Amino acid sequence: MRNKRLKFMLKDYLQKIEELSDEKLLALANRYRSTIQEIRIYRRDAEIVAFTTVVKYTDEELKKKEEELAIIQSFIEKRKLTE
């Protein structure tokens, strides 16, 4: 039911857009282009933040594992084991 209503609303919306004057139709297209450009900028910024977050996480995990390995190696040395 909701899907049918949504399709009807979309069809009605598209019909209204189609009936816009030339000037309003061009202005609408320009607003959409501007919005798309802004979204692309936000996406790029989000990608940079996500990359930075992943690098930070992996650096922390690497440091933690290296510290744990150092402890394990100290146990091996304490027992005078050879690898």
Side-chain angles (χ1 to χ4, degrees):
M1 174 90 175
R2 183 173 184 216
N3 221 5
K4 285 184 180 180
R5 184 172 180 224
L6 183 62
K7 285 181 182 180
F8 175 76
M9 289 172 57
L10 183 58
K11 188 175 181 180
D12 186 47
Y13 179 70
L14 293 175
Q15 185 177 3
K16 287 180 181 180
I17 291 173
E18 188 176 13
E19 294 171 358
L20 289 174
S21 68
D22 293 350
E23 184 178 299
K24 288 184 178 183
L25 186 61
L26 291 170
L28 180 63
N30 286 333
R31 286 194 303 274
Y32 265 78
R33 287 184 192 98
S34 177
T35 300
I36 289 168
Q37 186 176 6
E38 287 178 25
I39 292 170
R40 286 184 175 143
I41 291 169
Y42 295 147
R43 184 194 176 282
R44 187 190 71 223
D45 291 348
E47 193 175 70
I48 291 168
V49 169
F51 178 76
T52 303
T53 302
V54 169
V55 169
K56 183 179 176 184
Y57 170 78
T58 55
D59 284 348
E60 290 171 0
E61 284 299 305
L62 183 60
K63 182 179 177 183
K64 186 173 107 178
K65 293 298 180 191
E66 288 172 340
E67 290 171 353
E68 291 169 354
L69 177 58
I71 293 169
I72 292 168
Q73 285 178 325
S74 72
F75 292 154
I76 291 171
E77 290 170 9
K78 189 175 181 180
R79 294 183 189 185
K80 297 183 178 163
L81 299 173
T82 56
E83 294 183 60

